[in-house]
Amino acid sequence: MADCRAVPTLPRITRPLLAVAAALILVAGGACSSGGDGRGDRAVGGGVAEASHPAGPPYAVGRHELTLVDGSRPTPAVPAQGRAAEPDRTIEVEVVYPAAGDAPPEPAAGAPSPAEADAEPLPGPWPLVVFAHGFNGRSEFFRGFAEQWARQGYAVALPTFPLSRQGIAYSDDYVNQPGDVSFVVDRLADLDAGDLLDGVIDTDRYVVGGHSLGSATVFGVAYNSCCLDPRIVGAISVSGGPLPYPDGNYDDHPTTPMLMIHGGQDQTVAVGVGDLLFDQGWASPLWYLRPPAATHVSVFTDEPGQLFTEASLAFLDAELGDDPGPLDAMGAGVAASGAAEWRTKP
């Protein structure tokens, strides 16, 4: 496990949340995304069984890398590492998308990525998902999930943030990450005419998701007045919750639909945070997948990981594909698995 620092605690949002503010503490070690080379990390996304999904036969998958520079916002200094401030923000992005050709078989856990670099994309536009990594993470840690979603007809952008990324692990920069998400979508909407993905992605509406510190990014860009992106039509929060933003608040926040996943044995962000957000009806509608034996990271592995794949695809169908059927059917499947609870609020 990579070396991690603590990051901030739960902000003041509503009076009942004050009683459990101490629950959202990302303690050293647990707030990390899993490390590795992007193949061994296929347990984070790639090692689960293929979900049953009504979007048609699976597609082949391509992967395109972009380096985006936002000259309008700075990157702060990290004095403890001798890193000087920079006048702009550089964000590396992997975009995983449906590609031409026959879909390969679903890879086994630990197998090489099936996504072909710069494969010819299928004509779009394909609905967009942006997924934010956690503290000390990188985009490729979630490539396996992105490939699952792309196989079923979604384009997925995986940004690597300038400072919370693996190797720097500066958590305080999370306050700038909602702006990074919106900037990535802006640039995907305005790609150069010669870019491989020009015209391939529908950026008018998208779903944003994230794990741990990436979940805090989700709450910022989807629900905090500092950074709201009106193009967001759904949010996926995994093992996380809201953190404070200096230029905004959660007062009268949007009730954008949310899928929330939180393991009952999470020792990094206590499951009570997820429970309370659900009890208070943070989003509307709100779906909550709660595997009681899962930890901060094991929500992505084994049967909880398979359920997450199925639930996330069903959520994308509902919010981007206007097909609520798979999400309506999730409760019975989760109950039959015996591996999680499925809670819903209208």
Side-chain angles (χ1 to χ4, degrees):
M1 179 67 73
D3 182 26
C4 301
R5 294 175 47 231
V7 300
T9 56
L10 188 69
R12 297 181 179 182
I13 304 170
T14 63
R15 289 184 183 276
L17 281 176
L18 292 175
V20 294
L24 183 54
I25 301 175
L26 307 185
V27 297
C32 299
S33 299
S34 300
D37 63 3
R39 292 197 298 268
D41 289 293
R42 288 190 57 80
V44 182
V48 298
E50 182 178 352
S52 175
H53 189 61
Y59 301 104
V61 177
R63 178 170 56 88
H64 185 53
E65 297 183 357
L66 297 165
T67 299
L68 306 179
V69 179
D70 184 353
S72 68
R73 298 180 304 131
T75 303
V78 186
Q81 299 184 22
R83 297 183 64 89
E86 298 178 8
D88 49 29
R89 294 181 67 80
T90 298
I91 305 161
E92 298 168 7
V93 184
E94 292 189 40
V95 184
V96 184
Y97 55 90
D102 296 331
E106 180 66 19
S113 167
E116 179 184 347
D118 296 329
E120 178 187 355
L122 283 175
W126 297 100
L128 174 64
V129 185
V130 181
F131 199 87
H133 65 74
F135 177 63
N136 205 23
R138 289 189 59 86
S139 61
E140 58 262 38
F141 293 175
F142 295 93
R143 189 184 297 159
F145 278 128
E147 290 164 356
Q148 292 274 2
W149 296 332
R151 282 169 65 90
Q152 303 301 335
Y154 298 96
V156 187
L158 302 172
T160 295
F161 297 113
L163 294 181
S164 69
R165 64 190 295 165
Q166 186 184 46
I168 301 176
Y170 181 66
S171 61
D172 292 354
D173 195 47
Y174 83 87
V175 297
N176 295 307
Q177 292 180 179
D180 294 338
V181 170
S182 292
F183 172 72
V184 166
V185 179
D186 289 344
R187 288 297 305 272
L188 291 176
D190 192 30
L191 290 170
D192 294 338
D195 191 277
L196 178 72
L197 298 182
D198 179 41
V200 172
I201 303 171
D202 179 2
T203 56
D204 289 342
R205 52 203 296 264
Y206 71 98
V207 165
V208 62
H211 173 242
S212 194
L213 196 63
S215 169
T217 302
V218 169
F219 277 88
V221 72
Y223 300 103
N224 194 286
S225 62
C226 72
C227 325
L228 289 175
D229 190 330
R231 296 169 294 190
I232 293 172
V233 297
I236 300 174
S237 169
V238 187
S239 305
L243 291 177
Y245 287 86
D247 298 322
N249 58 64
Y250 296 100
D251 299 343
D252 301 317
H253 64 76
T255 57
T256 302
M258 172 176 279
L259 171 65
M260 188 166 58
I261 302 91
H262 215 125
Q265 300 302 312
D266 194 326
Q267 299 298 310
T268 300
V269 181
V271 72
V273 173
D275 292 349
L276 186 62
L277 292 169
F278 179 81
D279 290 343
Q280 292 207 329
W282 179 273
S284 181
L286 176 60
W287 295 268
Y288 186 15
L289 180 67
R290 190 184 189 279
T295 65
H296 193 63
V297 174
S298 71
V299 291
F300 293 124
T301 61
D302 302 323
E303 195 157 18
Q306 179 174 340
L307 291 173
F308 170 66
T309 301
E310 295 170 354
S312 60
L313 282 168
F315 182 77
L316 296 179
D317 280 351
E319 305 310 324
L320 291 173
D322 300 320
D323 179 9
L327 199 54
D328 291 342
M330 273 300 302
V334 173
S337 76
E341 303 168 18
W342 181 251
R343 305 177 185 177
T344 63
K345 275 188 182 291

